[in-house]
Amino acid sequence: KVLDASTLSFGTRVKCFAVCFIAGIVCSILGTALLPKGIKFFALFYTLGNIAALASTCFLMGPLKQLKAMFEPKRLIATLLMLV
């Protein structure tokens, strides 16, 4: 019963995906635009953009399924490079 109360409808998942994905793109572009102001601003906004983009896919797949997919053997190198 608790799991049923905590699940999101498909429409809500798509809306949250869109919001997080757009926020990720905006933060990444903003970080790139702020690069002349200093590397700290770039690093902050670009990192926030990547986190928001990862969170967006968690809304579609679910966080556990997303993590399992990221750490599959065929995707492990790409995941580690992205996290570093």
Side-chain angles (χ1 to χ4, degrees), residues 16 18 24 26 38 44 56 59 61 66-67 80 82:
C16 291
V26 168
L44 175 69
S56 70
F59 279 108
M61 298 175 67
Q66 172 69 21
L67 285 173
L80 292 176
M82 191 268 313

Side-chain angles (χ1 to χ4, degrees), residues 34-49:
L34 290 175
L35 188 56
K37 298 277 187 195
I39 195 77
K40 289 180 183 180
F41 288 114
F42 168 76
L44 175 69
F45 283 102
Y46 199 77
T47 301
L48 289 175

